[in-house]
mmCIF file with all atom_site columns, all heavy atoms in Angstrom:
data_model
loop_
_atom_site.group_PDB
_atom_site.id
_atom_site.type_symbol
_atom_site.label_atom_id
_atom_site.label_alt_id
_atom_site.label_comp_id
_atom_site.label_asym_id
_atom_site.label_entity_id
_atom_site.label_seq_id
_atom_site.pdbx_PDB_ins_code
_atom_site.Cartn_x
_atom_site.Cartn_y
_atom_site.Cartn_z
_atom_site.occupancy
_atom_site.B_iso_or_equiv
_atom_site.pdbx_formal_charge
_atom_site.auth_seq_id
_atom_site.auth_comp_id
_atom_site.auth_asym_id
_atom_site.auth_atom_id
_atom_site.pdbx_PDB_model_num
ATOM 1  N N   . LEU B 1 89 ? 10.004 -21.644 20.632 1.00 0.00 ? 89 LEU B N   1
ATOM 2  C CA  . LEU B 1 89 ? 9.543  -20.484 19.862 1.00 0.00 ? 89 LEU B CA  1
ATOM 3  C C   . LEU B 1 89 ? 10.355 -20.321 18.586 1.00 0.00 ? 89 LEU B C   1
ATOM 4  O O   . LEU B 1 89 ? 9.804  -20.095 17.499 1.00 0.00 ? 89 LEU B O   1
ATOM 5  C CB  . LEU B 1 89 ? 9.649  -19.215 20.709 1.00 0.00 ? 89 LEU B CB  1
ATOM 6  C CG  . LEU B 1 89 ? 8.622  -19.083 21.834 1.00 0.00 ? 89 LEU B CG  1
ATOM 7  C CD1 . LEU B 1 89 ? 8.970  -17.910 22.748 1.00 0.00 ? 89 LEU B CD1 1
ATOM 8  C CD2 . LEU B 1 89 ? 7.218  -18.914 21.263 1.00 0.00 ? 89 LEU B CD2 1
ATOM 9  N N   . ALA B 1 90 ? 11.665 -20.459 18.713 1.00 0.00 ? 90 ALA B N   1
ATOM 10 C CA  . ALA B 1 90 ? 12.528 -20.294 17.547 1.00 0.00 ? 90 ALA B CA  1
ATOM 11 C C   . ALA B 1 90 ? 12.231 -21.353 16.497 1.00 0.00 ? 90 ALA B C   1
ATOM 12 O O   . ALA B 1 90 ? 12.117 -21.053 15.301 1.00 0.00 ? 90 ALA B O   1
ATOM 13 C CB  . ALA B 1 90 ? 13.994 -20.358 17.977 1.00 0.00 ? 90 ALA B CB  1
ATOM 14 N N   . GLU B 1 91 ? 12.083 -22.584 16.948 1.00 0.00 ? 91 GLU B N   1
ATOM 15 C CA  . GLU B 1 91 ? 11.849 -23.671 15.998 1.00 0.00 ? 91 GLU B CA  1
ATOM 16 C C   . GLU B 1 91 ? 10.461 -23.581 15.377 1.00 0.00 ? 91 GLU B C   1
ATOM 17 O O   . GLU B 1 91 ? 10.281 -23.839 14.182 1.00 0.00 ? 91 GLU B O   1
ATOM 18 C CB  . GLU B 1 91 ? 12.047 -25.020 16.682 1.00 0.00 ? 91 GLU B CB  1
ATOM 19 C CG  . GLU B 1 91 ? 13.505 -25.297 17.047 1.00 0.00 ? 91 GLU B CG  1
ATOM 20 C CD  . GLU B 1 91 ? 14.455 -25.014 15.884 1.00 0.00 ? 91 GLU B CD  1
ATOM 21 O OE1 . GLU B 1 91 ? 14.196 -25.493 14.767 1.00 0.00 ? 91 GLU B OE1 1
ATOM 22 O OE2 . GLU B 1 91 ? 15.448 -24.282 16.085 1.00 0.00 ? 91 GLU B OE2 1
ATOM 23 N N   . ALA B 1 92 ? 9.493  -23.212 16.179 1.00 0.00 ? 92 ALA B N   1
ATOM 24 C CA  . ALA B 1 92 ? 8.151  -23.036 15.632 1.00 0.00 ? 92 ALA B CA  1
ATOM 25 C C   . ALA B 1 92 ? 8.151  -21.929 14.578 1.00 0.00 ? 92 ALA B C   1
ATOM 26 O O   . ALA B 1 92 ? 7.589  -22.082 13.484 1.00 0.00 ? 92 ALA B O   1
ATOM 27 C CB  . ALA B 1 92 ? 7.168  -22.696 16.751 1.00 0.00 ? 92 ALA B CB  1
ATOM 28 N N   . SER B 1 93 ? 8.802  -20.837 14.879 1.00 0.00 ? 93 SER B N   1
ATOM 29 C CA  . SER B 1 93 ? 8.908  -19.721 13.926 1.00 0.00 ? 93 SER B CA  1
ATOM 30 C C   . SER B 1 93 ? 9.580  -20.177 12.637 1.00 0.00 ? 93 SER B C   1
ATOM 31 O O   . SER B 1 93 ? 9.100  -19.906 11.535 1.00 0.00 ? 93 SER B O   1
ATOM 32 C CB  . SER B 1 93 ? 9.726  -18.578 14.526 1.00 0.00 ? 93 SER B CB  1
ATOM 33 O OG  . SER B 1 93 ? 9.042  -17.997 15.597 1.00 0.00 ? 93 SER B OG  1
ATOM 34 N N   . ALA B 1 94 ? 10.705 -20.852 12.817 1.00 0.00 ? 94 ALA B N   1
ATOM 35 C CA  . ALA B 1 94 ? 11.485 -21.282 11.657 1.00 0.00 ? 94 ALA B CA  1
ATOM 36 C C   . ALA B 1 94 ? 10.674 -22.242 10.789 1.00 0.00 ? 94 ALA B C   1
ATOM 37 O O   . ALA B 1 94 ? 10.704 -22.157 9.561  1.00 0.00 ? 94 ALA B O   1
ATOM 38 C CB  . ALA B 1 94 ? 12.782 -21.931 12.114 1.00 0.00 ? 94 ALA B CB  1
ATOM 39 N N   . SER B 1 95 ? 9.942  -23.126 11.431 1.00 0.00 ? 95 SER B N   1
ATOM 40 C CA  . SER B 1 95 ? 9.192  -24.125 10.665 1.00 0.00 ? 95 SER B CA  1
ATOM 41 C C   . SER B 1 95 ? 8.091  -23.482 9.822  1.00 0.00 ? 95 SER B C   1
ATOM 42 O O   . SER B 1 95 ? 7.638  -24.045 8.839  1.00 0.00 ? 95 SER B O   1
ATOM 43 C CB  . SER B 1 95 ? 8.581  -25.168 11.603 1.00 0.00 ? 95 SER B CB  1
ATOM 44 O OG  . SER B 1 95 ? 7.500  -24.615 12.329 1.00 0.00 ? 95 SER B OG  1
ATOM 45 N N   . LEU B 1 96 ? 7.687  -22.285 10.210 1.00 0.00 ? 96 LEU B N   1
ATOM 46 C CA  . LEU B 1 96 ? 6.665  -21.577 9.437  1.00 0.00 ? 96 LEU B CA  1
ATOM 47 C C   . LEU B 1 96 ? 7.181  -21.122 8.079  1.00 0.00 ? 96 LEU B C   1
ATOM 48 O O   . LEU B 1 96 ? 6.408  -20.923 7.139  1.00 0.00 ? 96 LEU B O   1
ATOM 49 C CB  . LEU B 1 96 ? 6.187  -20.341 10.211 1.00 0.00 ? 96 LEU B CB  1
ATOM 50 C CG  . LEU B 1 96 ? 4.940  -20.478 11.059 1.00 0.00 ? 96 LEU B CG  1
ATOM 51 C CD1 . LEU B 1 96 ? 4.616  -19.154 11.719 1.00 0.00 ? 96 LEU B CD1 1
ATOM 52 C CD2 . LEU B 1 96 ? 3.756  -20.922 10.199 1.00 0.00 ? 96 LEU B CD2 1
ATOM 53 N N   . VAL B 1 97 ? 8.477  -20.930 7.988  1.00 0.00 ? 97 VAL B N   1
ATOM 54 C CA  . VAL B 1 97 ? 9.042  -20.373 6.758  1.00 0.00 ? 97 VAL B CA  1
ATOM 55 C C   . VAL B 1 97 ? 10.076 -21.276 6.115  1.00 0.00 ? 97 VAL B C   1
ATOM 56 O O   . VAL B 1 97 ? 10.668 -20.921 5.100  1.00 0.00 ? 97 VAL B O   1
ATOM 57 C CB  . VAL B 1 97 ? 9.714  -19.012 7.047  1.00 0.00 ? 97 VAL B CB  1
ATOM 58 C CG1 . VAL B 1 97 ? 8.683  -18.023 7.580  1.00 0.00 ? 97 VAL B CG1 1
ATOM 59 C CG2 . VAL B 1 97 ? 10.872 -19.157 8.003  1.00 0.00 ? 97 VAL B CG2 1
#
Side-chain angles (χ1 to χ4, degrees):
Chain B
L89 288 170
E91 291 312 310
S93 293
S95 72
L96 265 181
V97 299

